[in-house]
Amino acid sequence: MSCANTLLAWSRDVTRSGRGMNAAVSIWRRLSLFVLVSSLCSCPCRAEDSAMENIVTEKKAEESHRQDSADLLVFILLLTLTILTIWLFKHRRFRFLHETGLAMIYGLLVGVVLRYAIHVPSDMNNVTLSCNVNASPATLLVNVSGKFYEYTLKGEISANDVDDIQDNEMLRKVTFDPEVFFNILLPPIIFHAGYSLKQRHFFRNLGSILAYAFVGTVVSCFIIGLFMYGCVMLMKQIGHMGGDFFFTDCLFFGAIVSATDPVTVLAIFNELQVDADLYALLFGESVLNDAVAVVLSSSIVAYQPEGDNTHTFEAMAMLKSFGIFLGVFSGSFALGVATGVVTALISFNFTKLRDFPLLETALFFLMSWSTFLLAEACGFTGVVAVLFCGMTQAHYTFNNLSPESQDRTKQLFELLNFLAENFIFSYMGLTLFTFHNHVFNPIFIVGAFLAVFLGRAVNIYPLSFLLNLGRRNKISSNFQHMMMFAGLRGAMTFALSIRDTATYARQMMFSTTLLVVFFTVWICGGGTTQMLSCQKIRSIGPDGVERRSTKHESAWFFRIWYNFDHNYLKPILTHSGPPLNATLPACCGPLARCLTSPQAYENEEQLKDSDSDLILNDGDITLSYGDVTVSTDAAGAHTSGTPVGGVAVNSDEALDRELAFGDHELVIRGTRLVLPMDDSEPPLPLDSHRHRHKNETMS
Amino acid sequence: MSCANTLLAWSRDVTRSGRGMNAAVSIWRRLSLFVLVSSLCSCPCRAEDSAMENIVTEKKAEESHRQDSADLLVFILLLTLTILTIWLFKHRRFRFLHETGLAMIYGLLVGVVLRYAIHVPSDMNNVTLSCNVNASPATLLVNVSGKFYEYTLKGEISANDVDDIQDNEMLRKVTFDPEVFFNILLPPIIFHAGYSLKQRHFFRNLGSILAYAFVGTVVSCFIIGLFMYGCVMLMKQIGHMGGDFFFTDCLFFGAIVSATDPVTVLAIFNELQVDADLYALLFGESVLNDAVAVVLSSSIVAYQPEGDNTHTFEAMAMLKSFGIFLGVFSGSFALGVATGVVTALISFNFTKLRDFPLLETALFFLMSWSTFLLAEACGFTGVVAVLFCGMTQAHYTFNNLSPESQDRTKQLFELLNFLAENFIFSYMGLTLFTFHNHVFNPIFIVGAFLAVFLGRAVNIYPLSFLLNLGRRNKISSNFQHMMMFAGLRGAMTFALSIRDTATYARQMMFSTTLLVVFFTVWICGGGTTQMLSCQKIRSIGPDGVERRSTKHESAWFFRIWYNFDHNYLKPILTHSGPPLNATLPACCGPLARCLTSPQAYENEEQLKDSDSDLILNDGDITLSYGDVTVSTDAAGAHTSGTPVGGVAVNSDEALDRELAFGDHELVIRGTRLVLPMDDSEPPLPLDSHRHRHKNETMS
């Protein structure tokens, strides 16, 4: 069964993922399937050849093509409607419902209409026959009077569906292949998240974010899994369980509902200009835990103990799963970073590419896409690779792009993200009514809600406590409550849960997940504004002084990484940063000269001429991180007047600067929040920037 | 056979077009196919169930998925390589090879490697068996021990291929479904062409362009068809023909090779700043004749006389085909324009949408896409609808967009166009070696080249002679030679010819078409610079005075249309143009007040204040077109200093102005060429604009 399901999913994947490769053809050959139809075939009736050919007419084929176009059109119009309503909401500053929540509502409405209002009139000519074969290979080769026709496995049809054909027609038509989400819709969303992640506060809180994303997600997964296993036991006791539900299924459920969505809350945070550290913590965690959840869930699926009972605990299988987790995650990470670095190197070496923004943008797009494909081709997780590719692109490649390409790439991925996201959320709404195998179990649903709440709490509060032991800038309790509240479940949770809905357990999970997503997006998403004011979290508020000290809290490992990045990676991969021969030991002189871009020297010379006061406190390259707070504040005020091309050899000041470049809008907000009393900055351009920012980052 | 082929194409279409709708499921139900497998099944051997399940393992499925990703990755890397080389060419100002020609060369190289260098080792376990059924329905329902599996028809496999499995594997893998071109790759290309068409010279030469596109393409189609029929007759006489080749096939060939490509030559024209009238004539013709050729070819396919011999001449069937041509073309045209107008109305009424460029861009994209779907759903031609939608969007919607969205939409479609185009051309190169059923017939090929040459000549020279009788600004003979030379065949010709390669005739057409495309893109495309200098066509050259009189040549019907557009459509659909109550008769006052945007009044008031000298020669709304040449030149010089929001009620001056807005870059070039002695324009910003223009329109 599980084999057939995987095959099914994969077969859909191959045929549906929009790539149109005739791959299934070759698969036929590769798999060399034995198709046995001989003795098992039992068809009750038989028609003449001519009748056959009449039935399968061009007319009918054309009609279906039209029908398909019309169905897709419905989705497009749904999205259009969503956009127009969103605009209305934005215009009226109505913040109780985010666009994703709205898309779900429209999806629900369309789902209700499809389910209950539209009845396709029963076609009297419709006689369904089937041939009995004793296998379901991915590809069938059918010999029709000497001509060979190739058929691809589309999927299993439940026996009920075969009987009850007409009513399902409309509903089955609007059902997308689950792999579409993973191969087409999720990658731009995740890439965009990674590409938007570049901001100083993210890197400053990197340690905490990693802790929440890795430790927190794993803890949450196991807590939810254990709790749900309790529920399942209870249900089995009182006879509410209609099928198998193993501990691995519970863990799988834990993994998929541990992926929080960065979309909804953060859009509101953006609009309300909420505290930058909280924003960075939540955004960073949401983005990274998506990646963790994907790999975690696939590792859990890969847990297969030897022997008869495949659902017992076995240390070896457990270790293997853990190895898979580590291998897949680090492999995807490495691939994503590698492609990002290659793109950075290309854009670094082909400097004249800057004259052609279209070529630059196309190259950037293709390289980012190839990350996904490369990861999939290597057996890693494309979505995870794309995330880290996006982060690397933002950190290095972005700096090498021409200003026009910077705008273009941002806008392109913003648009793709917007469309994909709203499509997923409206499809989510639709699915509640159009999915056929829903299993709504009250005990499981209540248990799931409790488990999700518990899992989030166990993620946030104990971890925050532990992190606060190490952080100089503590995560205050109102921040913790906000993070607890803002753990929405969204696109990734949905995509993971719809990917496989073949077994009873998976169907129940899917139905429950849908409810969890609806609840969190509508209630938690809608209540964000209230929660913020209730927790007294304001953008420019009482804790302005506290914010100034964020710098102190950076962990030692981040400091090491930062210095390495600033002194070696940035000069090699971008045109910013100090020349390498200033940072490498003297013995590496020739190497440094060869790797440093001429521009870096130019920048340095220019710097020496115009900014000689900066050069004065140079030299101390390996300057430890925490001890220059005061001078940095001064330098930060100074920075705003310095041209972008300038190089700050002082690595600490450079941290401020270089994080300030590239993601202009985010940094504008950051600056506004970190230095609220900084009156060296003229208010007028800031306001215009903020205005622009608000428009651009509203998704 | 033809029925099965259509079904095959359609079935691929449904499953492959990247939409992932489970449409085939419903089709199964709708078509209610009788699948008879009973007595005809004759499989020589039989395996156990368990063996079955072992063969179809998850491992293998995963492996294929990886392989598919790797294959697609090859294409992406091919595109990346093309981009980097293009950049090199652009950087070195190497104009002998356009990027599309380059993409073809890379495609060819990869094709050679795939064909001759890579030999997949023969798998010894590979035993191919098949079941014999007496029909090839679109969907098969297979009953495997009580479970129903659904299979979709993938395509026919030639008997040779079945024997000779291993060698083809690699080649078949890189074969895309032809419908991908029509449903995914062509629409953005065609839309972009329509969206870029808005320029004054296009509208001024509208009559001639329509004549070339409609009359010329039809004439060319029939001339080529007749000539090829002669060739086919000759081949049949000397026994060089290996299959059927009817007159309709010849006409079909004529239709598909009559579609000229706007890409290659025009990119060079752009760079060299060639005469704007010539540019407009060529671009307009190329764009429109694509649409004509698509509809023409489908009408020819639809030609089906009654009776036994389906390839005789029959007046009724001919008339019916002509009716289909008119119906499909006008239907697609109407749909495209209608969606464009709806988008314009939305963007007109939701004025506050301008504050959210992302929403605006998304709306624009979705509405344009829905045109394609709507046309396909109604049975019209999506590609044609998309073309006219693009033109309408450029003419009306574009003016309502915020400046940022104007940039965004232009850049988005520029990128999509660039990627799709280079993908198609590199695939073209690949196909020469990877397509399996090539039929290269020397006589047919030589005949085709002669026919293409002849067809183009019969299109251009006689039509130009006739048009020159009516034009005040004659199309000079060097322009005619240039148009003759610049009739490249490209993406549309390829897409039309690969769409159906089932019969011998179609296979021969496809192979020949490929050669025609290669030849014209490499030789004619590469020789454009030489041809231009040989024909002494220069941008700012000897015929500057002649250019000044372009206005005179506009046809009467264009004048009528222009006045209607300016006085009624523009005010209703955009925020430019005069208020309606200035142009409508007095009795329509309330209606006019209701339809005119407040902005138009504002503009008018503003105009009264600042530009009262313009208002002085107002009033003469229905002013005939030709008699204000001198004042227009003066006004044209004046216009460059007027803000964009201003309204010119004088319709003739408005023609200049409003065509000048919106597509800034193109107009800059236009201005430069039309008014070469106009020294009121400062040279510096023009140069910078030109520079920017060159970068942006290089595709």
Side-chain angles (χ1 to χ4, degrees), chain B residues 105-125:
Chain B
I105 291 179
Y106 279 129
L108 274 177
L109 293 180
V110 174
V112 170
V113 170
L114 287 180
R115 178 80 186 236
Y116 300 109
I118 298 181
H119 279 283
V120 179
S122 191
D123 185 353
M124 283 307 142
N125 301 323

Side-chain angles (χ1 to χ4, degrees), chain A residues 34 52 132 137 143 150-151, chain B residues 34 52 132 137 143 151 154:
Chain A
F34 292 72
M52 275 297 168
N132 291 343
N143 187 340
E150 190 185 24
Y151 284 82
Chain B
F34 292 71
M52 276 298 166
N132 291 342
N143 186 339
Y151 284 82
K154 182 109 291 175

Side-chain angles (χ1 to χ4, degrees), chain A residues 217 220 254-261 286 289-294 456 487-494 496:
Chain A
T217 306
S220 157
I256 63 175
V257 295
S258 292
T260 58
D261 196 67
S286 307
N289 77 6
D290 276 4
V292 174
V294 174
R456 184 78 190 159
L488 307 198
R489 272 64 174 177
M492 179 58 85
T493 302
F494 174 77
L496 281 172

